[in-house]
Amino acid sequence: MCLDADDLLSSRLLTYLRTERPAHGCYFERGYKFDLASPLRIFPRRRFFHECGSSFVLRIDAAPFPHRLDLSLGFSDKFIRRYDVHAYVPQAMADAGKPLQALPFPGAIYVVGGQNFYANMFRRRYPRILTQLRNFTLGHRLTPALASEFSLGPYLDAEHGSFV
């Protein structure tokens, strides 16, 4: 699994993988976006694997991993093309005759608004009133259970609010 610092995994993931043992792996059809500008709201996402690179788990014997990972691998390398452009992983695995199962619950949270260079650099900025309207209409209230499942505690300090 590829995992980077702006993504948080569900605490249910390892139990699911251990008990269900998907034949070739799984991908996260559903997940959440968590915007640090709106810390007590969470945004459910469908087709999560299109937005977040930490959205699939592959069996090492099913995926075409290279025999080495070093600086000699260029962007044209099959591994790099397939897994850096994460939206294509489920289809590429299915095309190879090794389909991935959709995880039956939201598998991760993509945290934006912090130190994520890509999300901050290329993210469209909206006027404050539109952001507040989006939060009210699309966001769900973050519950203590969800915060616990995804270890969001460090993001919920005095600066950002609490679960009062």
Side-chain angles (χ1 to χ4, degrees), residues 99-146:
L100 302 177
Q101 288 180 288
L103 193 67
F105 54 87
I109 290 179
Y110 179 33
V111 179
V112 297
Q115 295 187 15
N116 179 331
F117 172 77
Y118 182 82
N120 291 333
M121 178 65 95
F122 299 105
R123 206 167 151 217
R124 187 173 176 190
R125 303 283 182 214
Y126 294 99
R128 183 173 174 84
I129 189 70
L130 289 179
T131 300
Q132 290 172 339
L133 183 60
R134 173 196 68 145
N135 293 348
F136 181 74
T137 58
L138 301 176
H140 295 189
R141 180 152 175 74
L142 179 63
T143 64
L146 273 175

Side-chain angles (χ1 to χ4, degrees), residues 3-21:
L3 181 66
D4 55 16
D6 60 356
D7 303 319
L8 305 170
L9 296 177
S10 168
S11 60
R12 300 186 288 164
L13 180 61
L14 290 178
T15 300
Y16 172 81
L17 293 171
R18 188 174 47 241
T19 58
E20 297 300 318
R21 298 189 176 275

